[in-house]
Amino acid sequence: MFKQLLCLLFFVISFSSFAGEYQTNEEFLQQAFVGQAVPKAKLLWIKSPLKQTVADILQHRPSFLRTRYWQLDNKTVWILNETGKTKPISVGIIIENNQISLVKVLAFRESRGWEVKHDFFTNQFKQAQLTDNQKLSQPIDGISGATLSVRALTKLSTLALVFNQHIQP
Amino acid sequence: MSQRRKSLWRWLFKFHRYTGLSSALIIIMSAITGIVLNHSDELSLDKRFVVSSKLLDWYGIKASSANQGFAIQQQWLSQLNTHVYLDDKFLLDSPQPLVGIIYTADYRVIAFSNRLVLVSQQAEIIEEISFDNLQALGKNNDGGIFIKTAAGLQISTDDLLTWQASQATKIHWSTALTLPTTLQQHLQQQSRQNTLPYERVLLDIHSGRFFGQYGIYVIDFMAILFILLVISGLWIWLRHTLKTHRKKN
């Protein structure tokens, strides 16, 4: 009985360490602009026809009409949210020279699918660009049991590239 | 075949027949609810709510009441449980308490204890901005938007992009007022109808909880019967097959 209780306790403790906030937005921005001052945030308003593109990528109406981003030379940083199954996943995305250089899960609030936070998964997005038909230029391998989270990260990465393209002069 | 074995087979046939007949309804019910629950996301069953008074009564769901709200441009913003309403229309969900609302030329800013939500005139969410322990929301005559948090008073003058500490004193804080009686009654009625999602009802029917505290034991018993039904069915089929095979030879 004692052993079973210990196992249960271990399971609860280890499970609770999966979901949560892994990095604050401020920490992520400092990581993105390491050795430099974090630039002032800018606003991108999601108006037509961009709104329709966003809806097509997310496969639902966007739950926001503006998003903030940080830009320095050829680098843009985006912090976006998308619901996996029931709760939003916060993701930080760094784009340099129109290619993704880093995808990082900042907060994961769902009870399942947390495996997407690992580097072995997020590294797949590195060097990804936007194709002419608004898709990622490289395939992303899924994770069993984390389909919705994988889908959310793929959508957000695509979205960041679309936004990055939209703000180019 | 001995008389004893004959009567055993007869009993098995009878058991299979009557168990099948008596459990047919439960099997159909479980199958239908199971199929529908498998497509819960596509059917948005967790976002669609039961409106039937009888069903709500069955669950013992009582109406909540909200006495206070925030007046904004001839409209009222109020919160009932986790639902936030603009007049009598559902606007958004928030488990955190409502703190206030102000408006600018382009949008409205709604404050909850953990965030600000910018809402367009068409009631679309523009942006959500997280804060810790937000206590009050206000604005001054120059268009500055103020928030009061545990860190003190802060002002934003750039479309809520950045916040600075402030010592300002002439601030119009958003304060709660008593809701009109007719709206209170309307919201009371609404609150009951936005509580019970269809997914919950289907899950409860599927598990038997819908039928009261003994419902799950009935479903457990029926599940055991299903297993016995399969075993008895296989047994009968096997015996019949062997008998036919022997006759042929």
Side-chain angles (χ1 to χ4, degrees):
Chain A
M1 184 67 180
F2 181 69
K3 272 185 186 172
Q4 285 164 336
L5 277 173
L6 265 181
C7 285
L8 184 68
L9 190 67
F10 173 75
F11 177 76
V12 170
I13 291 169
S14 49
F15 173 78
S16 60
S17 68
F18 296 144
E21 190 179 10
Y22 311 123
Q23 194 173 29
T24 64
N25 293 359
E26 291 72 28
E27 285 167 352
F28 180 70
L29 289 170
Q30 277 161 10
Q31 182 189 346
F33 298 103
V34 67
Q36 299 161 306
V38 175
K40 195 184 168 195
K42 295 179 182 178
L43 285 174
L44 170 66
W45 284 86
I46 319 294
K47 293 176 181 168
S48 294
L50 180 62
K51 198 173 171 183
Q52 187 53 51
T53 309
V54 174
D56 291 344
I57 292 167
L58 293 176
Q59 294 166 356
H60 59 77
R61 275 178 64 188
S63 59
F64 56 93
L65 292 182
R66 79 178 200 186
T67 186
R68 50 189 73 200
Y69 65 98
W70 295 261
Q71 185 172 29
L72 193 66
D73 302 328
N74 291 329
K75 183 192 280 186
T76 57
V77 178
W78 306 83
I79 295 174
L80 303 169
N81 295 292
E82 169 65 353
T83 302
K85 183 168 169 61
T86 54
K87 292 179 180 171
I89 305 168
S90 300
V91 182
I93 300 156
I94 304 174
I95 298 174
E96 284 179 271
N97 298 316
N98 303 319
Q99 289 186 346
I100 291 176
S101 62
L102 183 71
V103 170
K104 186 148 194 179
V105 177
L106 304 180
F108 191 89
R109 302 167 185 93
E110 307 256 24
S111 55
R112 276 180 285 176
W114 48 267
E115 296 89 341
V116 292
K117 74 170 183 169
H118 290 299
D119 291 346
F120 75 80
F121 176 73
T122 54
N123 281 345
Q124 295 184 89
F125 292 95
K126 283 185 178 173
Q127 313 301 323
Q129 296 176 34
L130 197 64
T131 62
D132 291 339
N133 57 352
Q134 314 282 21
K135 300 246 190 270
L136 293 180
S137 59
Q138 53 204 52
I140 304 298
D141 292 335
I143 300 174
S144 301
T147 311
L148 295 176
S149 304
V150 168
R151 211 174 281 168
L153 258 71
T154 309
K155 285 177 188 175
L156 291 181
S157 302
T158 314
L159 211 54
L161 284 166
V162 168
F163 289 160
N164 178 72
Q165 191 182 56
H166 191 80
I167 60 163
Q168 299 303 321
Chain B
M1 190 185 280
S2 71
Q3 196 62 36
R4 202 175 158 195
R5 278 186 73 186
K6 263 186 185 170
S7 68
L8 178 73
W9 278 112
R10 205 170 294 136
W11 181 84
L12 192 68
F13 269 109
K14 273 187 182 171
F15 171 81
H16 189 76
R17 183 187 304 150
Y18 292 116
T19 306
L21 283 172
S22 58
S23 61
L25 200 67
I26 304 282
I27 292 177
I28 291 168
M29 184 190 79
S30 299
I32 292 172
T33 50
I35 291 168
V36 179
L37 282 168
N38 260 350
H39 301 277
S40 179
D41 285 345
E42 294 101 305
L43 298 170
S44 303
L45 293 177
D46 56 338
K47 295 179 186 76
R48 290 162 62 183
F49 297 94
V50 171
V51 291
S52 156
S53 298
K54 281 183 183 168
L55 207 49
L56 292 167
D57 288 342
W58 177 257
Y59 271 83
I61 292 169
K62 305 249 183 314
S64 310
S65 60
N67 304 322
Q68 296 214 307
F70 297 86
I72 181 93
Q73 294 173 299
Q74 283 86 51
Q75 287 185 299
W76 286 92
L77 184 80
S78 57
Q79 188 175 28
L80 261 178
N81 303 324
T82 61
H83 302 311
V84 177
Y85 296 90
L86 191 61
D87 282 341
D88 59 349
K89 288 191 177 63
F90 173 78
L91 186 65
L92 55 97
D93 257 319
S94 175
Q96 284 77 26
L98 194 58
V99 171
I101 182 168
I102 56 155
Y103 68 92
T104 70
D106 301 318
Y107 47 76
R108 291 165 174 177
V109 185
I110 303 172
F112 296 96
S113 63
N114 68 335
R115 70 195 197 279
L116 292 178
V117 181
L118 279 63
V119 181
S120 72
Q121 298 292 349
Q122 290 75 37
E124 287 180 292
I125 292 173
I126 297 170
E127 191 185 10
E128 299 197 23
I129 309 163
S130 298
F131 285 95
D132 281 334
N133 197 8
L134 220 154
Q135 295 156 5
L137 172 71
K139 63 176 186 176
N140 66 7
N141 292 336
D142 301 325
I145 295 172
F146 292 84
I147 52 167
K148 208 186 277 177
T149 67
L153 184 65
Q154 296 177 65
I155 179 174
S156 177
T157 51
D158 58 355
D159 234 1
L160 304 185
L161 260 178
T162 55
W163 296 88
Q164 287 87 38
S166 172
Q167 301 292 326
T169 50
K170 286 185 178 170
I171 303 163
H172 308 293
W173 293 109
S174 172
T175 49
L177 302 167
T178 304
L179 288 172
T181 317
T182 47
L183 184 60
Q184 279 186 36
Q185 288 166 347
H186 198 83
L187 286 173
Q188 209 168 359
Q189 217 171 1
Q190 282 248 22
S191 73
R192 225 164 87 96
Q193 295 177 351
N194 280 322
T195 311
L196 182 65
Y198 280 105
E199 188 180 48
R200 180 75 266 150
V201 178
L202 282 167
L203 278 167
D204 289 346
I205 294 174
H206 195 71
S207 65
R209 282 187 178 82
F210 183 84
F211 306 102
Q213 57 174 324
Y214 299 111
I216 49 168
Y217 298 114
V218 173
I219 295 290
D220 286 349
F221 177 70
M222 293 313 286
I224 294 166
L225 280 190
F226 298 161
I227 295 166
L228 295 175
L229 200 62
V230 171
I231 293 169
S232 58
L234 279 172
W235 199 343
I236 291 165
W237 170 80
L238 197 67
R239 181 177 174 257
H240 180 75
T241 312
L242 286 173
K243 209 174 172 183
T244 320
H245 186 70
R246 267 194 222 115
K247 268 185 187 171
K248 271 184 187 170
N249 292 333

